[in-house]
Amino acid sequence: MARNYERMGIRDLRELARSSHPEHDPEAARVFVDRVLDMEVERLTWHWHENTGFQPFSSAATVGEQPGGGTAAAEPLAIACERGCRIHAGHEFAREWLEGARLRPRARLAVLIRAAKLYSMPTQQKAPWAKPYDFIAQHLPIYSRMLQMGSLTTMAELTQVEVVRVTEKETYRRCRNEHKSVPIFKNGQALKDAAKPARVALLMLAQL
C-alpha cells in the first residue's frame, strides 16, 4: 500500500526523504520540503495574523466573564495554551531544519513567498497572498514583514558586501556591495526565478 506522506509525522518523513534510507522515495523528499515550507509559513503568518497584544474579550465586559458565556478564554493560561497548541513541536522542527539549510536571505524570502501563495489559508488571511507576483515584488516591505524578515526593499537591506571572483582559479574576495540600491526583486518573474533554485537546493539537502 502506498504511503500517505501528507499525513505522516514530519520527523518520520524526514528520514524517508534521505537517499540513504532503505525505503527512500524521491516523492518523500518533495513532500517533506513542501510541508516544511508550509509549516514555516503557517508559523510566521499566524503570529502576524494573531495581532500581538490582542485579547479575545471586551474590556467593558463583566470582570472575569467573556461575552457569550464562559470564562476560559479570559484566563491568561488558557490563552497561552491555545496559542501554544497552534504552534507545536512539528513547527519548531520545520523552523530548525529550514534555518539549518542556511539559504541566503533573498532565496529564503522568495521561497517563503511562493509557499505562502500556495498555502491554504482562511479567506481573510489569504487575500494579500492572492495578489500577482508583480504586485508582491512592488510592495515587498509589506510581504517581508508578514514573513517576519523586516521591511525589505533593496539589496542593501540584505547584505552590505558581496563575494566576487578575482581569478580564473576560483579565488574570491569580499568587497562592498555596489548593487546595494538595486531592488531585491525587480518584478514578479525575478521573484519566481529566485524561488526555483532555492527550492531545488532544499530538495537536495533533504536527501542527505
Side-chain angles (χ1 to χ4, degrees), residues 126-165:
K126 181 68 174 178
W129 300 104
K131 298 290 187 181
Y133 278 98
D134 282 332
F135 180 91
I136 294 175
Q138 293 170 6
H139 300 83
L140 194 61
I142 297 172
Y143 289 88
S144 59
R145 283 200 304 272
M146 281 194 249
L147 295 171
Q148 298 190 32
M149 291 186 67
S151 299
L152 301 177
T153 303
T154 66
M155 292 300 294
E157 293 159 338
L158 292 180
T159 178
Q160 292 292 335
V161 298
E162 62 181 343
V163 178
V164 296
R165 184 173 177 174

Side-chain angles (χ1 to χ4, degrees), residues 4-206:
N4 187 342
Y5 295 131
E6 297 291 348
R7 299 182 65 86
M8 184 177 290
I10 192 69
R11 293 177 185 274
D12 293 336
L13 184 57
R14 170 70 185 106
E15 294 306 311
L16 280 178
R18 297 180 190 273
S19 59
S20 59
H21 194 283
E23 299 180 43
H24 168 71
D25 181 356
E27 180 66 7
R30 184 195 66 78
V31 176
F32 171 75
V33 168
D34 287 343
R35 281 185 58 189
V36 162
L37 292 172
D38 284 351
M39 293 172 76
E40 182 65 357
V41 163
E42 181 181 42
R43 184 182 72 85
L44 294 171
T45 58
W46 178 72
H47 278 300
W48 169 270
H49 187 65
E50 279 297 294
N51 185 12
T52 303
F54 173 77
Q55 299 298 329
F57 53 85
S58 170
S59 60
T62 303
V63 176
E65 293 185 6
Q66 180 185 10
T71 60
E75 295 292 336
L77 288 179
I79 295 170
C81 179
E82 181 183 356
R83 292 181 175 178
C85 289
R86 182 71 177 273
I87 302 300
H88 54 71
H91 290 83
E92 285 303 307
F93 178 84
R95 178 188 64 78
E96 291 174 3
W97 187 85
L98 196 56
E99 286 183 355
R102 300 177 68 85
L103 290 176
R104 290 179 179 273
R106 183 174 184 271
R108 175 185 171 87
L109 180 59
V111 80
L112 286 176
I113 287 174
R114 176 187 179 275
K117 283 184 66 63
L118 296 175
Y119 181 64
S120 178
M121 301 181 191
T123 303
Q124 181 181 3
Q125 193 176 356
K126 181 68 174 178
W129 300 104
K131 298 290 187 181
Y133 278 98
D134 282 332
F135 180 91
I136 294 175
Q138 293 170 6
H139 300 83
L140 194 61
I142 297 172
Y143 289 88
S144 59
R145 283 200 304 272
M146 281 194 249
L147 295 171
Q148 298 190 32
M149 291 186 67
S151 299
L152 301 177
T153 303
T154 66
M155 292 300 294
E157 293 159 338
L158 292 180
T159 178
Q160 292 292 335
V161 298
E162 62 181 343
V163 178
V164 296
R165 184 173 177 174
V166 293
T167 72
E168 294 298 322
K169 297 182 179 180
E170 303 297 326
T171 302
Y172 297 85
R173 65 180 174 81
R174 295 169 66 86
C175 68
R176 185 178 299 279
N177 190 346
E178 299 299 333
H179 304 94
K180 60 184 180 179
S181 61
V182 173
I184 295 173
F185 304 114
K186 65 179 181 180
N187 53 35
Q189 188 59 50
L191 199 166
K192 290 188 282 187
D193 289 344
K196 290 177 183 177
R199 183 170 178 272
V200 170
L202 293 176
L203 285 169
M204 295 177 65
L205 181 62

